Amino acid sequence: MIQLTSKIARILYSILASVIIILIWRNIGFATTLFNISDNSISGLSIKALSLTLAVLILTIVVIRPKELFSFLGLSSNVLKGFGVALLCVLPLYLLFPVFGNLNTDVTFSVIYDRAILTGFKEELVFRAFMFGLLFRYAKTGFFWAVILPALYFGSVHLYQGHDLLSALAAFGVTFIGALYFSWMYVEWNFNIWIPAGLHLLMNGAWFIFTMEGTEVAAGGWISNIARIISIALAIALTVYYRRKRGEKVFDYPVWRF
């Protein structure tokens, strides 16, 4: 590993590594081309996800000790606790969507595997554990400065879901806020990556398992956004309770410090 003692050097590496991982992600199709496997098959989707994960591990181990690698990325945290907290927080979606919408009988396992399971894991690994983690945990920047880069990019990759400028900006805004929310949950729950990954995965799953107004895009509709707001409020309340029970405060870390 490389030991960078200067804070500026650590910030620069964090930004450079983030740019590299995004370039790899955009060109990850080479992994399936190499093995002559269809991009959209289960095996093709899995190979691309594994290749991206490997790239994250390699770029992280450049500056993080090998024995601390999985802990730094939050991968060694309690999986059952992570998904248990996530399931409790997203329960409002799975209670309200069947009432105001319908079960999507056209959804396939391949879609759920790709758009919910793999997307939820990949985006949290890259945007939260890796990009945010390098800036916040490694470079020691404040929460705001650490979250802004991955949040901006996370929002921008969802612009395509808008059919005009207004809807594109709505998709950007919702996903940008989502990035702030997932990052906050990640920090407050002691860097357990399975909590934001579980939240992301299960939220995406609800969007595909049920059909109702707005679930075809990230911005959502009235009912889906009300359900999402209730879910976030529940998560915030649960997090505040968890921190207080441990004798800790929320935002008990630098926010604006660069």
Side-chain angles (χ1 to χ4, degrees):
M1 59 168 287
I2 300 174
Q3 291 187 335
L4 301 176
T5 56
S6 164
K7 183 168 185 175
I8 294 298
R10 290 188 172 204
I11 291 173
L12 289 175
Y13 177 78
S14 300
I15 294 173
L16 176 62
S18 297
V19 171
I20 292 173
I21 203 65
I22 293 302
L23 290 174
I24 292 173
W25 195 343
R26 287 185 171 182
N27 297 280
I28 204 66
F30 80 89
T32 50
T33 302
L34 186 65
F35 295 100
N36 195 27
I37 297 174
S38 171
D39 271 358
N40 295 319
S41 64
I42 296 295
S43 55
L45 293 169
S46 301
I47 287 173
K48 289 191 292 184
L50 286 172
S51 299
L52 183 64
T53 300
L54 181 61
V56 167
L57 295 177
I58 291 172
L59 287 169
T60 305
I61 211 170
V62 170
V63 291
I64 299 298
R65 292 186 180 90
K67 65 179 181 180
E68 299 173 357
L69 177 63
F70 287 92
S71 174
F72 177 82
L73 293 170
L75 294 169
S76 61
S77 300
N78 191 317
V79 178
L80 291 179
K81 178 181 179 180
F83 277 92
V85 170
L87 180 60
L88 181 60
C89 293
V90 301
L91 203 55
L93 276 68
Y94 288 87
L95 292 176
L96 292 175
F97 281 21
V99 175
F100 294 96
N102 298 293
L103 189 67
N104 185 1
T105 56
D106 295 326
V107 71
T108 63
F109 173 75
S110 180
V111 170
I112 295 296
Y113 183 64
D114 178 25
R115 305 297 297 277
I117 298 173
L118 289 185
T119 295
F121 173 74
K122 288 187 300 182
E123 291 188 350
E124 292 312 305
L125 178 67
V126 170
F127 293 114
R128 240 60 62 197
F130 181 71
M131 293 175 68
F132 171 80
L134 281 176
L135 286 166
F136 187 75
R137 306 187 71 186
Y138 173 66
K140 305 297 184 183
T141 63
F143 180 85
F144 173 80
W145 298 106
V147 79
I148 196 71
L149 176 63
L152 284 172
Y153 189 81
F154 184 64
S156 68
V157 296
H158 293 85
L159 282 170
Y160 75 94
Q161 295 186 1
H163 53 80
D164 54 32
L165 179 60
L166 187 60
S167 58
L169 289 175
F172 174 86
V174 167
T175 48
F176 180 86
I177 293 170
L180 299 177
Y181 166 57
F182 292 140
S183 298
W184 183 74
M185 290 291 288
Y186 180 49
V187 175
E188 297 292 353
W189 288 87
N190 301 311
F191 304 101
N192 184 337
I193 195 59
W194 303 113
I195 289 179
L199 289 168
H200 200 152
L201 185 160
L202 292 169
M203 282 184 172
N204 281 12
W207 248 242
F208 291 101
I209 293 172
F210 302 101
T211 58
M212 57 186 300
E213 181 192 2
T215 53
E216 67 276 4
V217 293
W222 282 105
I223 299 299
S224 55
N225 277 320
I226 289 172
R228 185 153 48 184
I229 290 170
I230 295 172
S231 173
I232 293 173
L234 177 60
I236 292 172
L238 183 63
T239 301
V240 171
Y241 171 78
Y242 166 77
R243 298 289 291 183
R244 287 183 176 176
K245 188 176 181 180
R246 291 166 57 93
E248 301 168 343
K249 299 178 180 179
V250 296
F251 285 112
D252 193 21
Y253 41 82
V255 175
W256 304 106
R257 183 190 69 191
F258 187 77

